[in-house]
Amino acid sequence: MAKAKKAELDLSTEEKIKEAASIVFTKKGYGNARTRDIAEEAGINLALLNYYFRSKEKLFQIVMAERIDKLFGVLGPVLNDESTTLEQKLERITESYINMLLEHPDLPIFVLSEIRNNPEQLSNRFQARKNLTESVFIKQLMARRSDVNPFHFLMNLLGMNLFPFVAKPVLQPILGNEEMYRQLMEQRKKLVPAWMKLILDKG
Amino acid sequence: MAKAKKAELDLSTEEKIKEAASIVFTKKGYGNARTRDIAEEAGINLALLNYYFRSKEKLFQIVMAERIDKLFGVLGPVLNDESTTLEQKLERITESYINMLLEHPDLPIFVLSEIRNNPEQLSNRFQARKNLTESVFIKQLMARRSDVNPFHFLMNLLGMNLFPFVAKPVLQPILGNEEMYRQLMEQRKKLVPAWMKLILDKG
DNA sequence: AAAATATTTAATCAAACGATTAAATATTTT
DNA sequence: AAAATATTTAATCGTTTGATTAAATATTTT
């Protein structure tokens, strides 16, 4: 058999296609992305794409699962870390998100708009709710401020961190050049946790 | 001529198509929306759509302009009202946005993702920057807190108000039923201005 | 009412696109 | 090296979809 070589090339080519699909899907969305675009981006022929993945839809499912994980996977480990304070969690989540999103600015808008198009894909909703409500983070928060609804608090944290990237296509031209935008996001690494602490202490 | 009757029907049918287009485009996005969907939603034949509007693209441009105005048109009048304080502006913007978005929850994700797909459409970018930086709101803000970057402040305000709707497809299943979601948004009408005042006074 | 004009439709076209096929090329095993 | 297997491609198929056309129906003007 051609195992060794096959596996090697498989991984390489398959990965190349997935990477290309990720780029094209993220930039254009499912409906506007053409399989020919993806093939070209990957530097391979169109038929090869269907050889590795059965269809556009299948390829999309795989890419989408990865992207969802990339967008929300940050949260789990930090929220459930027993060794950090609430304040430290705010700092780490903010730092992680801003760093990650500076490299993948259109990840949130892609994931959120595709989930809107196909809400069923978010089938782990019960799991998500349970994971969240039973997290160390929520416990710490409720111990500190039993009067603050944790969901409000989380929406604020995520809103402050994700929204500037969701709205980047609008904000960036208003702010001026890319560098100015980047500077502001860098500043927010310290500012967002400070604002959230304000809500935590004086809200 | 058939002026009177024509104009009447024109308006009615044209408006019916635009309304249908708005619904279908907003729900599915440009790429996933089919002109046949729009025609069916409007209760008319496909050809009629191209009779009134030259093409899908043209129809989309018109709908898009209206949607952008709906999403950001709220801001202008409030931000430039000389007769209200900074605090009142925070309250009014929040109240306006949450009320409007409770009726049109998928407006932000639609507008923002379509602008990402076609950034040129945001050609009024210089105008937007000037309008913003010269607004009464920014003047009031800088007079009060010269140390706070107004853009950060605005991102926070918009983030707290818009993000829960941008992320609704994710949040809603986690929160439980639609009613719970609605309740939280109603609460935020008072909470968001309070949090923003915190940043204003103690940030 | 007749003519002119506007509105609406069914049928069809042409291009775009996802997918398949069969053949060619490359790689691995024997 | 020959055979077997895996990888890659060019060409093509069938559907979907945006758009057009020509004819029918409705409305307005004369």
Side-chain angles (χ1 to χ4, degrees):
Chain A
M1 283 213 295
K3 246 185 208 169
K5 188 56 186 288
K6 175 194 175 184
E8 209 176 299
L9 282 185
D10 241 3
L11 215 73
S12 169
T13 302
E14 194 174 317
E15 209 54 46
K16 212 164 53 177
I17 295 175
K18 285 206 311 200
E19 189 59 35
S22 188
I23 290 170
V24 176
F25 279 138
T26 303
K27 191 157 69 188
K28 303 192 169 191
Y30 182 79
N32 293 304
R34 290 169 305 171
T35 50
R36 282 165 173 84
D37 296 339
I38 297 171
E40 190 184 5
E41 176 78 32
I44 52 104
N45 188 283
L46 169 61
L48 191 56
L49 186 147
N50 288 300
Y51 171 78
Y52 276 102
F53 309 86
R54 283 273 299 170
S55 67
K56 179 187 183 183
E57 176 68 23
K58 285 255 175 58
L59 177 55
F60 177 73
Q61 302 289 358
I62 292 167
V63 168
M64 188 65 180
E66 284 183 358
R67 300 280 88 185
I68 288 179
D69 191 61
K70 179 125 198 147
L71 184 57
F72 295 115
V74 174
L75 286 174
V78 180
L79 292 186
N80 283 305
D81 190 336
E82 304 257 8
S83 74
T84 54
T85 65
L86 212 46
E87 282 83 355
Q88 288 172 323
K89 288 187 177 62
L90 296 176
E91 290 160 10
R92 293 193 186 181
I93 287 175
T94 300
E95 168 109 10
S96 301
Y97 262 126
I98 294 183
N99 278 338
M100 188 266 281
L101 293 176
L102 278 172
E103 282 182 35
H104 307 280
D106 44 10
L107 179 60
I109 194 81
F110 166 68
V111 170
L112 293 172
S113 71
E114 293 301 333
I115 287 180
R116 170 207 58 167
N117 288 343
N118 236 342
E120 315 83 67
Q121 257 168 21
L122 197 77
S123 56
N124 53 343
R125 56 195 199 277
F126 299 111
Q127 191 69 10
R129 183 189 170 89
K130 202 182 170 215
N131 283 347
L132 211 56
T133 51
E134 293 177 0
S135 68
V136 177
F137 176 81
I138 299 279
K139 286 200 179 77
Q140 288 174 318
L141 183 55
M142 299 209 307
R144 179 84 78 83
R145 291 294 302 264
S146 62
D147 59 324
V148 171
N149 185 324
F151 288 120
H152 280 311
F153 196 75
L154 257 175
M155 281 190 242
N156 294 348
L157 178 61
L158 295 182
M160 287 199 204
N161 279 326
L162 298 185
F163 183 77
F165 292 91
V166 173
K168 189 186 177 189
V170 174
L171 288 175
Q172 153 94 32
I174 292 177
L175 295 178
N177 52 16
E178 171 83 30
E179 186 48 33
M180 181 48 110
Y181 178 83
R182 206 176 180 87
Q183 260 179 35
L184 284 176
M185 295 310 120
E186 286 292 341
Q187 292 168 8
R188 290 180 77 83
K189 286 187 192 173
K190 296 230 177 271
L191 290 172
V192 169
W195 291 320
M196 290 304 299
K197 286 174 199 171
L198 224 51
I199 294 176
L200 198 59
D201 294 332
K202 314 221 167 74
Chain B
M1 283 211 299
K3 245 185 210 168
K5 188 56 185 287
K6 175 196 176 183
E8 207 176 300
L9 283 185
D10 241 0
L11 216 73
S12 169
T13 302
E14 194 175 316
E15 210 55 44
K16 211 164 54 180
I17 296 175
K18 285 206 311 198
E19 190 59 34
S22 188
I23 290 169
V24 176
F25 278 139
T26 303
K27 191 157 69 189
K28 303 193 168 189
Y30 181 80
N32 293 304
R34 290 171 304 171
T35 50
R36 282 167 173 83
D37 296 338
I38 297 171
E40 189 184 3
E41 175 78 33
I44 52 102
N45 187 284
L46 169 62
L48 191 56
L49 187 149
N50 288 301
Y51 171 80
Y52 275 104
F53 309 87
R54 283 274 296 169
S55 67
K56 179 189 184 183
E57 175 67 23
K58 285 256 175 59
L59 177 55
F60 177 73
Q61 302 290 357
I62 291 167
V63 168
M64 188 64 181
E66 283 182 359
R67 299 281 87 184
I68 288 179
D69 191 61
K70 179 125 199 147
L71 184 57
F72 295 115
V74 175
L75 285 174
V78 180
L79 291 186
N80 283 304
D81 190 337
E82 304 259 9
S83 74
T84 54
T85 65
L86 211 48
E87 281 83 353
Q88 289 172 323
K89 287 187 177 62
L90 296 176
E91 291 160 9
R92 293 193 186 182
I93 288 175
T94 300
E95 167 108 9
S96 301
Y97 262 126
I98 293 182
N99 277 338
M100 188 267 279
L101 293 175
L102 279 171
E103 282 183 33
H104 307 279
D106 44 11
L107 179 60
I109 194 82
F110 166 67
V111 169
L112 293 172
S113 72
E114 293 301 334
I115 287 180
R116 169 207 59 167
N117 288 343
N118 236 342
E120 315 84 67
Q121 256 169 22
L122 198 78
S123 55
N124 52 344
R125 57 196 200 277
F126 299 111
Q127 192 69 10
R129 184 189 168 89
K130 204 184 167 211
N131 284 347
L132 210 57
T133 51
E134 293 176 1
S135 68
V136 177
F137 177 81
I138 299 279
K139 286 199 180 78
Q140 288 174 318
L141 182 55
M142 299 210 307
R144 178 83 79 84
R145 291 294 301 260
S146 62
D147 60 323
V148 172
N149 185 324
F151 287 120
H152 280 310
F153 196 75
L154 257 174
M155 281 190 243
N156 294 347
L157 178 61
L158 295 182
M160 287 199 203
N161 279 325
L162 298 186
F163 183 77
F165 292 91
V166 173
K168 189 186 178 190
V170 174
L171 288 175
Q172 153 93 33
I174 292 176
L175 295 178
N177 52 15
E178 171 84 28
E179 185 48 33
M180 182 46 112
Y181 179 82
R182 204 175 182 88
Q183 260 180 34
L184 283 176
M185 295 309 122
E186 286 291 342
Q187 291 168 7
R188 290 180 77 83
K189 287 187 191 172
K190 295 227 178 276
L191 291 172
V192 169
W195 292 320
M196 290 305 298
K197 286 174 199 171
L198 224 52
I199 294 176
L200 199 57
D201 294 332
K202 313 220 166 75

